[in-house]
Amino acid sequence: AQSVSQHNHHVILSEAASLELGCNYSYGGTVNLFWYVQYPGQHLQLLLKYFSGDPLVKGIKGFEAEFIKSKFSFNLRKPSVQWSDTAEYFCAVNGENYGQNFVFGPGTRLSVLP
Amino acid sequence: EPEVTQTPSHQVTQMGQEVILRCVPISNHLYFYWYRQILGQKVEFLVSFYNNEISEKSEIFDDQFSVERPDGSNFTLKIRSTKLEDSAMYFCASSEGLYSNQPQHFGDGTRLSIL
């Protein structure tokens, strides 16, 4: 079965620190890649997505992610985090060998200290 | 911006009872999904629905589960005889297209607590 892994279960940063959250997916042919964020008590919101083209994609709220096909990775980055970025971050993949559904990673909880 | 809406936000049910979770997808979307998230675990796919029939389901989606689009706007998930392990957050999602260029938009979720 196809799977998605996220490197860190819980990341704690101070405000203004740089962020990188890792995401790796198992080989599955053509894939579409997504990062979703879940703020406390809220629903999943799309941060950014990659389908094709430039492997460096920019999303909302200053987030970006880079697709590295050779490493099956799609890491999320932000140069300077804010307290309001405290949330759970989920990497998700779909594509030709994943079926119609999304396969989600286990999530990384980000805590930003003021 | 249009949203996926789910009701109720929290459902408490006795084990063995039937429960129906309701979702109103975004109006021009054609594909509908249910996911669940057991507390502390990752989001798991349950089922996808298109053209009034199930198009894909996971092994979690056994005979106790069913989905329906009863009236052209609602999309429901029914659990016939709930078990303790059904306690989870259930998310509905919808998308315009099938993993072509359309991400899935998620509702706020329904927290299901089985006693």
Side-chain angles (χ1 to χ4, degrees), chain A residues 14 17 20 34-35 42 45 49 55 57 69 72 83 93 98 106:
Chain A
S14 298
E20 181 160 1
F34 307 81
W35 275 97
Q42 297 187 29
Q45 299 174 36
K49 60 186 186 288
V57 292
K69 190 174 181 179
F72 306 114
W83 176 79
V93 182
Y98 284 79

Side-chain angles (χ1 to χ4, degrees), chain A:
Chain A
Q2 306 300 345
S3 64
V4 179
S5 62
Q6 292 182 236
H7 303 169
N8 308 98
H9 178 65
H10 189 188
V11 172
I12 303 173
L13 295 173
S14 298
E15 275 195 314
S18 64
L19 169 72
E20 181 160 1
L21 302 182
C23 170
N24 286 88
Y25 62 96
S26 59
Y27 176 71
T30 302
V31 292
N32 303 309
L33 298 153
F34 307 81
W35 275 97
Y36 281 86
V37 61
Q38 188 176 29
Y39 297 103
Q42 297 187 29
H43 62 279
L44 291 163
Q45 299 174 36
L46 181 67
L47 267 182
L48 48 79
K49 60 186 186 288
Y50 171 80
F51 294 112
S52 63
D54 188 345
L56 184 63
V57 292
K58 294 193 184 300
I60 60 171
K61 304 185 182 186
F63 286 91
E64 65 179 31
E66 184 175 13
F67 170 53
I68 303 179
K69 190 174 181 179
S70 60
K71 295 184 178 180
F72 306 114
S73 70
F74 189 56
N75 292 356
L76 181 72
R77 300 195 291 249
K78 185 171 184 178
S80 176
V81 295
Q82 301 170 314
W83 176 79
S84 57
D85 293 324
T86 295
E88 188 99 16
Y89 292 81
F90 294 92
C91 181
V93 182
N94 72 2
E96 61 180 339
N97 287 336
Y98 284 79
Q100 300 166 12
N101 58 289
F102 279 22
V103 176
F104 281 84
T108 296
R109 187 190 309 170
L110 173 65
S111 299
V112 180
L113 307 177

Side-chain angles (χ1 to χ4, degrees), chain B:
Chain B
E1 184 180 328
E3 293 184 342
V4 175
T5 57
Q6 290 184 244
T7 55
S9 56
H10 190 190
Q11 174 80 46
V12 182
T13 303
Q14 292 285 337
M15 186 173 61
Q17 296 296 306
E18 175 184 285
V19 67
I20 296 176
L21 309 183
R22 301 181 193 279
C23 169
V24 179
I26 294 173
S27 61
N28 65 331
H29 285 187
L30 301 176
Y31 296 85
F32 315 114
Y33 312 84
W34 282 101
Y35 292 80
R36 79 171 185 192
Q37 185 181 25
I38 294 172
L39 185 64
Q41 299 185 24
K42 65 180 180 181
V43 179
E44 300 173 292
F45 169 74
L46 291 178
V47 65
S48 59
F49 190 87
Y50 170 70
N51 199 26
N52 282 320
E53 59 183 27
I54 290 172
S55 44
E56 187 170 347
K57 60 183 181 180
S58 72
E59 36 187 57
I60 302 169
F61 194 87
D62 62 22
D63 292 344
Q64 294 298 313
F65 291 89
S66 62
V67 289
E68 194 177 31
R69 189 158 163 78
D71 57 15
S73 63
N74 290 286
F75 178 52
T76 61
L77 174 70
K78 182 193 291 185
I79 308 175
R80 269 180 262 285
S81 178
T82 50
K83 303 186 284 283
L84 292 176
E85 54 264 37
D86 293 328
S87 294
M89 196 78 168
Y90 288 80
F91 292 100
C92 175
S94 68
S95 65
E96 284 184 65
L98 180 62
Y99 66 75
S100 53
N101 279 310
Q102 304 301 330
Q104 296 177 11
H105 296 259
F106 287 81
D108 286 345
T110 293
R111 182 175 301 283
L112 178 62
S113 300
I114 307 300
L115 305 179

